[in-house]
Amino acid sequence: MDKYKTIEEILSSGFAQYGQKNIEKSDRVLRSTKIEQAIYEDLHNETESLSEYESAGGEKLKTFDSLVNDVFQSVYGLTPKFVDENAVSALSRRFNKSILEQLMSDDNYSAVKSVCEGKELPAIGATEEFTGQLLENLDVLMSKATGDNGKVDALSKMEQDIRELSQNFSELMKKREEMPEGHREPIDKKIVQTANRILSKQEQSEMYSHLIENCMKQNGADIKAMVSASAAKAKERAEGVQSAILAWGNGDAEMKKSPVNTEILRRTAMSDKLRYIAQFLGRYKQMLNSKRLAGFTYGRGEKYDIEYGNNISRVLTSELSYLSNLGLLPLFLKKHQNKQLKQYRRREQEYKGKGDIVVCLDESGSTFGENNAYGMAIAMVLYEICKVNKANFALVHFSTDTKVDYFPKNELAPAPKVLDCAETLLGGGTDFEKPLDEVVSLTATAKLDKADIVFITDGVCDISEEFLKRFERFKTDTGSKLTGILLDKGENFEFTLNKFADCIFRTSELLGETIVEKLIEERI
């Protein structure tokens, strides 16, 4: 039944201003700053599959691209905030917002957020993964949202119809004002009809909106399960991106899109081995950074006694008070010259092992899998130490044969060279003498000086007495030391490392991370 019968009823009700207020609303439900939106658009333009997902999703759900944008904002933004509901389209308010709320309340969300917040590449990776998973379930989600009573997009069509009718209503009202009073009857009828059509569409829209709201609540468990599964995949993807960049990147905390990071993600996406190594190496580089920071703090020294000297930075305040009196200035200068000023004594960190490092890594067939990934992660974290200490680094891959990757201290190795080195796996048998000969050769050609040798193996290999004597002379002449790491977890077999190693760590006796921690502490 029509509400309005006459133009007078419309004019007295205030409905005459309705058309001017009914502006087009946003499909976005989360706020983005201009910088955040610019970052998203830049990343989006470089993510081909994301555009494909949006195109496919947009054919089913008009607001799908806005939902994708909001997913990125929810994981990347510092404090995601919802837009005022009055400024949001009905479809986004009922469907998109419900999906976002399910995501942000899911158990996986905090883990995704911790990896992605303020970090470009993990955030866009998580968004891409979530979008792909969501697209696979979109038909089911939309069906759940209406209880199989129609299409979710019908709500968007109703809202569009209301906007068009409202615009038409405003134009009719404007024409009416311009017409003489005696000629308004035909247009008044059109205004009344349009007003009633608007009200009818509004009622339909409200009913359909409540239908979606109720169905989303009734099917909440099913919807939550689908969103949760998508969030779990997004978490896995984000952590994979983070591990890859932590392992192979340059330490960029924001993990921005850059040629180097883009190449790293491309290479790791194609290499199971690089991804496997990254699971270890990312953690070990974080361990190295924390140890370095702790070392810097400790390196400044801990006050624990009073001594005499002339270090102004340590002088007691009572001694500095001489400088406030010109008459006492000569006394201060005399005490300074004779190192008789009272000053704090500090415990200083003892620095060790900051020279060149060479890693001999067993890549025989038996190391395939975790042992090789763990050994390579150790090699790469020792390479990071060399970069910090401005020292030379060499990695001698060995099995039956050898391959040497050399990284001089005065050159910054490009990412592809490091990745090529890490992907190496020789296969074959085991020969201990050949890699040690390579160490001798590297030292003889001045590529290494007083080498700190780390020898990593999972096997047993005998060496001749003649070679052993020659290698011991080499260590004595050069001052080199060899640390052996035996990957014998759970086996405890007899081995030959004790013939030529100065120190041995065994995975059967120590946790892998404990060994890495000791290696780092001895070299920073």
Side-chain angles (χ1 to χ4, degrees), residues 108 110-116 121-123 125-126 231-247 255 265 275 278-279 282:
N108 292 296
S110 59
V112 176
K113 193 89 170 77
S114 66
V115 174
C116 297
L121 292 175
K233 290 288 187 180
K235 171 178 170 289
E236 186 178 318
R237 174 72 175 276
E239 289 174 343
V241 172
Q242 181 189 52
S243 293
I245 296 176
L246 282 175
M255 299 187 181
L265 294 184
R275 291 197 300 274
Q279 293 177 17

Side-chain angles (χ1 to χ4, degrees), residues 17-270:
Q17 304 300 317
Y18 178 80
Q20 299 175 12
K21 296 179 181 178
N22 192 35
I23 60 174
E24 189 166 357
K25 298 182 179 181
S26 172
D27 290 330
R28 291 285 309 280
V29 299
L30 287 178
R31 297 175 183 172
S32 297
T33 65
K34 289 183 179 179
I35 293 177
E36 289 169 339
Q37 191 59 23
I39 289 171
Y40 171 72
E41 290 171 2
D42 181 46
L43 293 168
H44 177 277
N45 292 337
E46 298 294 325
T47 312
E48 186 176 339
S49 59
L50 196 56
S51 298
E52 293 173 357
Y53 293 156
E54 285 183 343
S55 178
E59 293 177 1
K60 302 176 182 180
L61 179 68
K62 176 181 175 292
T63 57
F64 191 75
D65 59 342
S66 295
L67 178 57
V68 175
N69 197 337
D70 284 328
V71 168
F72 175 84
Q73 183 61 31
S74 72
V75 298
Y76 179 79
L78 183 61
T79 51
K81 295 180 180 178
F82 284 102
V83 176
D84 189 316
E85 284 200 354
N86 294 323
V88 178
S89 68
L91 180 56
S92 286
R93 189 167 63 248
R94 294 305 183 202
F95 187 80
N96 288 24
K97 187 175 182 181
S98 178
I99 298 299
L100 262 295
E101 287 175 336
Q102 292 279 18
L103 168 62
M104 295 168 72
S105 64
D106 188 75
D107 293 340
N108 292 296
Y109 177 71
S110 59
V112 176
K113 193 89 170 77
S114 66
V115 174
C116 297
E117 187 174 278
K119 297 172 184 170
E120 295 182 9
L121 292 175
I124 199 67
T127 302
E128 182 183 6
E129 191 66 35
F130 186 87
T131 300
Q133 296 294 320
L134 196 67
L135 182 59
E136 290 182 9
N137 295 305
L138 190 57
D139 288 328
V140 178
L141 283 169
M142 293 172 69
S143 177
K144 296 280 186 186
T146 63
D148 295 320
N149 290 318
K151 294 183 177 180
V152 172
D153 264 357
L155 187 58
S156 181
K157 180 64 169 63
M158 292 175 191
E159 199 166 41
Q160 178 63 29
D161 290 344
I162 292 170
R163 280 197 297 269
E164 291 175 358
L165 286 169
S166 299
Q167 184 177 354
N168 188 26
F169 179 84
S170 295
E171 291 171 355
L172 289 171
M173 290 296 294
K174 187 176 181 180
K175 286 180 181 179
R176 183 182 185 279
E177 292 175 2
E178 296 171 352
M179 295 175 67
E181 288 190 17
H183 298 79
R184 291 178 176 175
E185 185 176 349
I187 200 169
D188 285 350
K189 288 183 179 180
K190 287 184 179 181
I191 290 172
V192 172
Q193 290 174 354
T194 304
N196 285 319
R197 287 182 66 192
I198 289 172
L199 291 175
S200 176
K201 284 288 183 182
Q202 283 181 322
E203 289 176 2
Q204 291 178 41
S205 178
E206 283 297 317
M207 289 175 61
Y208 205 75
S209 180
H210 286 303
L211 169 69
I212 292 175
E213 182 181 17
N214 291 334
C215 287
M216 294 286 278
K217 288 179 180 177
Q218 289 171 7
N219 296 303
D222 293 338
I223 294 171
K224 180 179 176 62
M226 284 184 274
V227 172
S228 182
S230 299
K233 290 288 187 180
K235 171 178 170 289
E236 186 178 318
R237 174 72 175 276
E239 289 174 343
V241 172
Q242 181 189 52
S243 293
I245 296 176
L246 282 175
W248 309 115
N250 57 9
D252 172 20
E254 295 179 4
M255 299 187 181
K256 293 182 178 180
K257 184 191 77 174
S258 67
V260 171
N261 284 342
T262 300
E263 175 64 11
I264 286 169
L265 294 184
R266 187 190 71 80
R267 289 284 299 270
T268 53
M270 298 167 57

